[in-house]
Amino acid sequence: MDDIRKSLSPARLGSICVYCGASSAVNEKYIRLAEALGRELAGRGIRLVYGGGGVGLMGACAMAAHERGGEVLGIMPRFLLQKERIYTDVEHRIVDDMHTRKMMMFEEADAFIVLPGGIGTLEEAVEILSWARLGLHAKPMAFLDEDGFWEPFFELIEKIIAGGFIPEEFRGTMVHCTTSADAITALEDRRVVIDL
Ligand code: AMP
């Protein structure tokens, strides 16, 4: 965990890690949102770090960023190469297991954006928040949706705060946004924030 601490407080927001769904059987509006985020990252010269897949929102975001000339790094565990159809047109690393993938995605990023997704997306986002809660890093996280997808999650966080399980200041680690531009700007504003 010392290594994690050393990677804190980036001087600039050079890379953003995006967590999002891998399923392609989703409403098209989510795919469009992922594409818009990919284009926005590329347009701002911010590298996209993601799970390496060519399916679902993951693939949509990466392909859109790549098509706009953006830098992309995909990190894929070997056992998911087929299932998540690794996208090889961009820089990619194949790692031995899920743990290594998650740690590498964390280390390569200055901040995080969470798009709509399933259990994997939720797990990845909550793990990063749990590390923030433990004081292991201060990288901010934005949840991005256009349809209130993440509202119940923020309602839960409010209940958790009201119950005294986390301090009110923890709200500063995360923000809820409805456009890619707002999400990135919010992360830039918050990048050296949190004192828990
Ligand atoms: P999902 O949101 O379930 O579609 O998954 C999104 C991404 O999270 C996929 O690339 C999955 O491989 C990944 N994922 C699934 N389970 C986990 C987990 N326990 N930890 C980290 N990533 C996961």
Side-chain angles (χ1 to χ4, degrees):
M1 285 301 184
D2 277 353
D3 286 344
I4 293 176
R5 237 174 242 127
K6 276 180 212 148
S7 68
L8 299 188
S9 303
R12 59 178 281 274
L13 211 52
S15 297
I16 290 181
C17 174
V18 173
Y19 297 120
C20 59
S23 171
S24 295
V26 296
N27 188 306
E28 189 65 17
K29 68 183 176 181
Y30 297 125
I31 300 288
R32 299 280 91 87
L33 181 66
E35 290 171 344
L37 176 58
R39 286 193 294 271
E40 185 72 27
L41 289 168
R44 294 202 192 196
I46 297 171
R47 181 178 68 154
L48 165 66
V49 175
Y50 87 115
V55 290
L57 276 67
M58 301 170 84
C61 189
M63 287 171 201
H66 180 56
E67 277 161 21
R68 260 308 146 89
E71 202 183 335
V72 179
L73 171 63
I75 302 166
M76 173 72 80
R78 200 175 305 282
F79 79 98
L80 285 175
L81 283 176
Q82 309 297 330
K83 189 168 180 230
E84 295 191 354
R85 295 209 221 124
I86 186 166
Y87 179 47
T88 54
D89 289 1
V90 295
E91 184 185 351
H92 55 281
R93 295 182 198 156
I94 298 169
V95 297
D96 285 338
D97 51 51
M98 199 66 117
H99 178 76
T100 308
R101 176 207 235 179
K102 284 198 290 186
M103 185 54 78
M104 204 176 275
M105 288 167 74
F106 168 79
E107 286 172 344
E108 292 287 345
D110 303 317
F112 309 92
I113 292 180
V114 188
L115 284 168
I119 302 298
T121 303
L122 197 56
E123 196 273 350
E124 289 170 313
V126 169
E127 181 165 48
I128 298 297
L129 290 174
S130 75
W131 291 350
R133 176 71 184 112
L134 294 171
L136 297 173
H137 75 90
K139 300 179 183 182
M141 177 176 280
F143 288 75
L144 172 59
D145 65 62
E146 291 173 333
D147 63 353
F149 184 91
W150 290 115
E151 252 166 42
F153 181 75
F154 277 80
E155 283 167 18
L156 179 61
I157 293 291
E158 289 306 315
K159 280 197 203 305
I160 292 171
I161 291 171
F165 294 99
I166 52 177
E168 297 212 1
E169 296 73 28
F170 194 74
R171 283 196 196 97
T173 60
M174 60 183 120
V175 60
H176 191 182
C177 300
T178 56
T179 70
S180 300
D182 282 355
I184 295 169
T185 301
L187 293 177
E188 285 169 346
D189 290 347
R190 284 163 189 245
R191 68 177 182 270
V192 194
V193 250
I194 309 133
D195 182 13
L196 296 173

